[in-house]
């Protein structure tokens, strides 16, 4: 379980393949504090640490993860938002994030809002996900508030601190992002869908 508050930015130091799996070696200041079997969110994707050496640790993404997220397009040198799992008793500064990506979105526009930047993302609404105005959304592991919501698209305002201390400053129009929609909203949608089937 995560909060969507990014701790550090890491970088992809090496990538290897093993069958359909891909091993990512992430260089980060967090490496020294990690343990084998620990969960870490990488651009919002929960992956298990399987190896650590100096300031580089190793995680494995299986084929399903590569197909359902933007991890398959990672290259050596890419920057990655990192967050360790939340600790019980800590403040929940973002929102409840599972680290289970629902789908990939595309950055459609970036606008200067005189102090912040407004990012607009498009996604495939046929997969059953949705946002609501002032609701929560996780973009590449960052907890954000929706400021513009419509079918298949939403916008978020990113303050300068978040822009500089996450990978948002590397994001461009056309880039793929990992989206995790609000878990409470997903349960509500599932319940409403089940009720409609009974009627």
């Amino acid at each position: 379980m995560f909060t969507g508050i990014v701790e550090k930015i890491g970088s992809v130091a090496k990538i290897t393949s093993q069958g359909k799996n891909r091993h990512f070696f992430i260089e980060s200041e967090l490496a020294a504090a990690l343990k084998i079997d620990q969960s870490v969110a990488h651009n919002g994707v929960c992956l298990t640490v399987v190896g650590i050496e100096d300031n580089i640790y190793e995680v494995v993404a299986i084929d399903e993860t590569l197909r359902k997220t933007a991890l398959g397009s990672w290259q050596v040198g890419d920057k990655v938002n990192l967050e360790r799992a939340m600790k019980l008793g800590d403040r929940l500064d973002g929102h409840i994030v599972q680290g289970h990506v629902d789908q990939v979105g595309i950055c459609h526009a970036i606008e200067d809002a005189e102090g912040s930047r407004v990012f607009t993302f498009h996604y495939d609404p046929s997969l059953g996900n949705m946002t609501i105005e002032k609701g929560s959304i996780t973009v590449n592991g960052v907890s954000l508030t929706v400021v513009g919501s419509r079918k298949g698209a939403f916008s978020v305002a990113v303050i300068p601190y978040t822009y500089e201390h996450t990978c948002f400053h590397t994001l461009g129009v056309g880039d793929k992002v990992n989206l995790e929609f609000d878990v409470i909203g997903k349960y509500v949608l599932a319940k409403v869908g089940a009720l409609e089937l009974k009627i």
Side-chain angles (χ1 to χ4, degrees):
M1 197 70 70
F2 305 92
T3 67
I5 304 299
V6 172
E7 288 186 75
K8 296 287 183 183
I9 295 176
S11 62
V12 179
K14 185 170 78 168
I15 303 171
T16 62
S17 296
Q18 182 183 35
K20 291 187 175 181
N21 294 344
R22 203 165 294 176
H23 292 244
F24 295 103
F25 296 80
I26 309 297
E27 185 174 355
S28 169
E29 296 173 23
L30 287 181
L34 297 178
K35 298 182 293 186
I36 303 295
D37 288 336
Q38 200 165 14
S39 295
V40 179
H42 300 74
N43 278 0
V45 181
C46 178
L47 297 172
T48 302
V49 176
V50 298
I52 306 168
E53 188 172 341
D54 299 324
N55 63 337
I56 295 176
Y57 67 92
E58 178 186 357
V59 292
V60 181
I62 63 173
D63 182 53
E64 181 182 9
T65 302
L66 296 171
R67 286 187 286 108
K68 292 187 175 179
T69 70
L71 269 64
S73 62
W74 277 5
Q75 297 179 359
V76 171
D78 283 354
K79 301 299 181 187
V80 184
N81 292 322
L82 302 175
E83 180 191 357
R84 289 176 289 178
M86 64 184 262
K87 293 188 288 188
L88 288 176
D90 279 359
R91 290 184 178 87
L92 185 61
D93 293 316
H95 70 284
I96 297 172
V97 177
Q98 294 181 297
H100 302 158
V101 171
D102 295 304
Q103 66 184 96
V104 172
I106 303 291
C107 182
H108 179 73
I110 305 171
E111 302 169 46
D112 187 344
E114 297 183 9
S116 62
R117 289 174 177 83
V118 175
F119 288 76
T120 299
F121 299 95
H122 286 188
Y123 63 93
D124 181 359
S126 71
L127 297 179
N129 296 304
M130 64 173 285
T131 59
I132 60 169
E133 196 72 20
K134 301 298 184 285
S136 296
I137 184 73
T138 307
V139 178
N140 275 352
V142 181
S143 173
L144 297 163
T145 300
V146 175
V147 295
S149 177
R150 54 195 183 280
K151 186 175 182 180
F154 65 91
S155 297
V156 291
V158 176
I159 62 172
Y161 182 89
T162 302
Y163 182 80
E164 292 298 333
H165 289 83
T166 68
C167 293
F168 266 95
H169 65 272
T170 69
L171 198 60
V173 171
D175 286 351
K176 293 180 180 179
V177 294
N178 295 315
L179 300 176
E180 181 180 334
F181 294 80
D182 182 53
V183 65
I184 297 170
K186 288 188 283 189
Y187 276 107
V188 171
L189 277 175
K191 185 67 174 174
V192 169
L195 289 173
E196 287 176 349
L197 288 175
K198 291 180 181 179
I199 295 174

